Amino acid sequence: RVMRAQEKELDSRNFFQSELLRLRTYEARFQTSQRGELLSLTLTGESGQNDSFRPGERIEATIRYNFRAPFPDPVIGLDIFRADNGMHVFTTSNYDAGVHLGVRVGLGEVTFTIQALCLPAGQYRGEINVFSDWSHPTRPDWHELREHELTDAACFVVRAEHPTPGLAWMPVEKWQ
């Protein structure tokens, strides 16, 4: 029994040590990205606000970047999380849309539209990230090659006149 407990402790310690090494390597890659970085995320609603929205509101998203080296076909994405519990509620990227971005070296921006912000009332945070080239034929693992991320790039609240619980807000019509 003692031997089994020692083996479990050793397995656990090895797991945590390897996980810590993996995370440190991952973190170092973000800090030393030679190609560039993401600078900001701006979300703008129909009312012109950028930190308070209504469920179903149309949102314009702008991601600004500074690329120091060529980045032929990056994947730039947005993730939204609930602020209270960190639950991941939304992801989108140019890859998901099948769009090859024509980004250039230097300062630039990409924009896209969220047709309807289908989130219930609550506080949220947006995170943006850029991944390695997804069209490179020898790199099918592009999604594991994050070049840079900006956590807490935007914090916002969704306000509803009649808040409802749940993970998503969905427009419903024709109640009879």
Side-chain angles (χ1 to χ4, degrees), residues 21 41 102 167:
L21 178 62
L41 166 66
L167 287 177

Side-chain angles (χ1 to χ4, degrees), residues 50-140:
N50 61 10
D51 61 354
S52 181
F53 309 108
R54 296 178 322 278
E57 189 169 352
R58 181 184 173 102
I59 305 294
E60 297 295 325
T62 302
I63 298 174
R64 290 179 183 78
Y65 62 83
N66 183 16
F67 291 151
R68 293 180 288 279
F71 214 140
D73 207 3
V75 174
I76 296 178
L78 165 67
D79 296 299
I80 296 177
F81 301 87
R82 287 195 57 92
D84 59 352
N85 61 15
M87 180 180 290
H88 188 196
V89 296
F90 177 74
T91 296
T92 190
S93 72
N94 59 297
Y95 177 81
D96 297 334
V99 175
H100 296 268
L101 297 173
V103 298
R104 64 183 193 284
V105 173
L107 294 172
E109 64 182 36
V110 296
T111 61
F112 58 92
T113 302
I114 299 170
Q115 293 295 329
L117 187 66
C118 294
L119 296 174
Q123 295 180 346
Y124 298 87
R125 67 177 185 82
E127 177 177 295
I128 52 177
N129 40 61
V130 61
F131 293 86
S132 188
D133 305 329
W134 64 282
S135 62
H136 197 285
T138 62
R139 296 311 303 246

Side-chain angles (χ1 to χ4, degrees), residues 160-174:
E161 188 174 323
H162 302 286
T164 57
L167 287 177
W169 175 85
M170 296 179 199
V172 177
E173 298 175 346
K174 299 187 181 185

